[in-house]
Amino acid sequence: MSKKPIFHFEISERKVLLRLFDMVAVLLTLAVVGVVFEFDYFKINADYWNWTLVFLIYLNLFASIFELYDLQKADRFDSVIKNVLLTSSLTVLFYILTPFFTPSLPANRLQILFFFLSIAGALLLWRFLYISLISSPRFYKRVLVVGDSFDIKLIAESLQKTDPNYVVVGYVNTDDKLKTKFQKENLIRFEVNELQGAIEKYHINEVVVASAYQKGLMLPLYNELSELLKKGFPIRDYTQVYEEITRRIPVQNVDKDFYKYFPFSRSNQNKFYLSVFRILDILVSFIGLIFCAFILPFVILGNLLGNRGKLFYTQERVGKNGRIFNILKMRTMVHDAEKSGPQYAQKNDYRVTKFGRFLRRSRIDEIPQFYNVLKGDMSLIGPRPERPVFVKELSELIPFYETRHIVKPGLTGWAQVMANYGDCHDDSLEKLQYDLYYIKHRGIFLDLSILLKTLSTVIFFRGQ
């Protein structure tokens, strides 16, 4: 029999726990160090509350940028060490460089080292305890899935990939025509009459239903689930769980009645939100274009040596409401890269030059698109615009693909910071799931999350 879990922390609860104890651990350590070593650079009291506030803002900002609240990375101590050192270094650096809001540098510069070591040491100790205790199997959520004609292995992998503490123990298959063998994946198949006994034996925390009543949720199973509901046992819909955990919409499991239960975000029609967002687009575009003008001589020189051809070019893309516009780009591929016709860009694409690869990895090749943002063809955040020929192809293959065009395309987006680089149908489907999630939940907090994750993507040179 499996070990009984104490209780389970949900994703949002673990993120709050991490953020809260990061602050508590660091402030407590700084207070102790201040007393023991007569450390007076950073004081925590009512007279200097503004120092503490500024410090916590920097700490939370850089911890978010360096992915200390990414649960997949928070479970691996090797990733935690690197991200903690980066977070501590940038927090200390910015704290030192803003003396108007923070204390002046101490006469004894050794206190700066104490300051850094206290922050890094406190974070590393707390995160080690988190991995050893909170991320242990005793806090995993144990789930049983009910469904018909579904890929249980795919469901288990997609949920557990996003939330390492979410474990699918077994399943009840409501479609007798589907023969499944999952012994290698350690997923147990239960019969309907074994459901309540399995919940007690395997300490199941939740039942996830991935089957409609008319399609396979037969009366005996329906009655079993009703009994569990009467006892207060949590039973949830698969699409709701999938969306909550993976933060994308499972369009491949949605039928033609999709729009009946797809409540688009009110922000898509909120004039105040859209106006503020447009002002932000304009301000950031000006800054981006000024930066582009500053680095342009170096890029032109690199292009002459590495690409030996025209630097800028335009390409047709599909914008809001299906309107075609010309996107401005920097050339990163060899001349006549598409002489045999339009092709998807691929990971490690042989057509990309060495200098072009640098432009892509650093995202410098996308800076000219600030011109499109300034014009209003694009926005700072939104689904990435695709070429018309590929939109037509993907719309025929993927359900609801055209839905991504109800908002402006973006320079960055939820799919860009969450999904891997894609060059096939399955990757396009995954990106669409993220795009639809953004359209459904669009708002200021999700936008800020995307901007912070974009900084992480650029800093760590992830992507193309």
Side-chain angles (χ1 to χ4, degrees):
M1 184 181 296
S2 59
K3 187 180 291 186
K4 183 176 181 180
I6 303 174
F7 55 88
H8 172 74
F9 289 104
E10 300 292 344
I11 291 178
S12 58
E13 293 172 337
R14 287 204 301 281
K15 288 184 177 181
V16 170
L17 186 73
L18 286 171
R19 198 176 291 275
L20 177 63
F21 276 85
D22 279 353
M23 294 186 289
V24 170
V26 170
L27 292 179
L28 183 61
T29 302
L30 287 172
V32 172
V33 168
V35 173
V36 174
F37 297 97
E38 297 182 355
F39 177 77
D40 58 4
Y41 175 58
F42 183 85
K43 297 180 179 179
I44 305 174
N45 55 45
D47 295 330
Y48 303 102
W49 62 269
N50 54 316
W51 293 359
T52 304
L53 178 61
V54 172
F55 171 76
L56 292 179
I57 290 174
Y58 286 152
L59 179 65
N60 279 273
L61 174 63
F62 291 113
S64 298
I65 292 175
F66 293 114
E67 302 174 325
L68 281 179
Y69 306 117
D70 183 320
L71 295 182
Q72 296 177 24
K73 294 179 173 61
D75 279 354
R76 304 200 315 267
F77 198 64
D78 56 337
S79 295
V80 168
I81 292 175
K82 178 186 70 175
N83 294 338
V84 162
L85 292 178
L86 288 170
T87 297
S88 303
S89 300
L90 268 294
T91 299
V92 172
L93 178 62
F94 272 71
Y95 193 79
I96 292 174
L97 294 177
T98 53
F100 182 78
F101 304 102
T102 57
S104 301
L105 290 176
N108 182 3
R109 295 294 194 267
L110 192 62
Q111 290 198 20
I112 302 298
L113 179 62
F114 275 77
F115 190 45
F116 170 78
L117 293 176
S118 298
I119 298 170
L123 289 174
L124 287 173
L125 178 59
W126 149 238
R127 290 309 183 98
F128 176 77
L129 293 175
Y130 170 82
I131 293 172
S132 303
L133 302 175
I134 307 301
S135 289
S136 69
R138 289 187 67 82
F139 290 94
Y140 287 178
K141 173 176 271 191
R142 303 172 65 82
V143 178
L144 189 148
V145 179
V146 174
D148 64 324
S149 299
F150 64 96
D151 190 338
I152 179 63
K153 182 174 180 290
L154 182 63
I155 288 177
E157 287 179 349
S158 61
L159 295 177
Q160 194 162 350
K161 179 182 178 182
T162 306
D163 184 357
N165 292 5
Y166 194 97
V167 179
V168 177
V169 176
Y171 64 101
V172 176
N173 183 22
T174 60
D175 189 350
D176 293 331
K177 297 178 183 179
L178 183 67
K179 303 300 181 182
T180 51
K181 296 180 180 180
F182 299 115
Q183 288 82 357
K184 291 184 179 180
E185 284 76 26
N186 298 318
L187 297 175
I188 308 168
R189 175 167 180 166
F190 300 105
E191 300 301 325
V192 175
N193 57 5
E194 300 174 329
L195 183 58
Q196 297 202 36
I199 288 173
E200 295 180 4
K201 180 178 179 180
Y202 294 94
H203 311 297
I204 303 298
N205 303 104
E206 183 175 273
V207 170
V208 175
V209 179
S211 172
Y213 178 82
Q214 67 273 19
K215 290 185 177 180
L217 199 56
M218 59 282 199
L219 187 59
L221 178 56
Y222 180 82
N223 291 335
E224 289 285 335
L225 295 176
S226 296
E227 286 297 318
L228 290 173
L229 278 174
K230 291 177 183 178
K231 297 176 182 179
F233 190 84
I235 299 175
R236 303 176 66 195
D237 176 66
Y238 165 66
T239 56
Q240 178 189 5
V241 172
Y242 185 94
E243 180 179 337
E244 181 181 298
I245 292 179
T246 67
R247 304 191 77 179
R248 60 185 200 247
I249 305 293
V251 291
Q252 73 275 30
N253 300 115
V254 175
D255 58 23
K256 63 183 179 180
D257 296 326
F258 176 72
Y259 292 98
K260 290 183 178 179
Y261 48 91
F262 189 87
F264 293 102
S265 171
R266 294 180 179 178
S267 296
N268 295 323
Q269 304 298 329
N270 187 312
K271 292 183 179 180
F272 177 75
Y273 169 83
L274 295 176
S275 298
V276 171
F277 205 74
R278 179 57 187 155
I279 293 172
L280 179 64
D281 282 346
I282 294 173
L283 291 175
V284 175
S285 296
F286 272 120
I287 296 172
L289 291 174
I290 292 171
F291 177 72
C292 182
F294 177 75
I295 66 170
L296 192 57
F298 305 101
V299 176
I300 291 175
L301 179 61
N303 181 70
L304 289 174
L305 298 175
N307 289 345
R308 298 183 181 181
K310 188 177 179 181
L311 176 60
F312 294 103
Y313 74 100
T314 60
Q315 193 177 71
E316 285 191 342
R317 294 296 173 101
V318 179
K320 185 177 179 180
N321 300 325
R323 187 178 66 85
I324 305 297
F325 71 97
N326 289 316
I327 193 172
L328 184 63
K329 296 172 66 70
M330 286 184 182
R331 190 170 66 87
T332 57
M333 293 187 176
V334 296
H335 185 63
D336 292 333
E338 293 190 333
K339 58 184 178 181
S340 58
Q343 301 177 43
Y344 284 106
Q346 300 177 0
K347 191 174 182 179
N348 300 320
D349 200 319
Y350 70 93
R351 299 171 298 165
V352 179
T353 65
K354 289 184 178 179
F355 183 67
R357 188 165 290 111
F358 164 74
L359 292 177
R360 288 188 171 207
R361 296 281 286 179
S362 62
R363 296 303 195 278
I364 291 176
D365 67 314
E366 296 180 357
I367 291 178
Q369 294 168 36
F370 281 117
Y371 171 71
N372 294 105
V373 176
L374 190 61
K375 282 179 61 181
D377 295 328
M378 294 173 58
S379 186
L380 191 61
I381 299 173
R384 285 294 292 165
E386 191 53 87
R387 299 170 67 177
V389 60
F390 296 140
V391 168
K392 182 179 179 182
E393 176 186 327
L394 293 170
S395 297
E396 294 172 354
L397 295 173
I398 303 176
F400 316 112
Y401 188 82
E402 291 284 359
T403 308
R404 69 199 298 274
H405 298 133
I406 71 169
V407 298
K408 279 185 183 180
L411 191 61
T412 184
W414 190 233
Q416 274 56 54
V417 298
M418 296 296 289
N420 295 321
Y421 183 74
D423 55 7
C424 64
H425 170 270
D426 289 340
D427 294 330
S428 296
L429 173 61
E430 181 182 2
K431 285 192 173 184
L432 175 64
Q433 292 177 322
Y434 284 115
D435 286 335
L436 293 181
Y437 181 90
Y438 174 73
I439 294 171
K440 182 177 181 179
H441 297 278
R442 186 183 186 191
I444 183 63
F445 293 108
L446 183 55
D447 290 335
L448 288 174
S449 178
I450 292 172
L451 291 176
L452 290 175
K453 287 180 179 293
T454 300
L455 289 175
S456 299
T457 301
V458 173
I459 289 170
F460 291 114
F461 268 55
R462 283 196 294 263
Q464 301 179 30

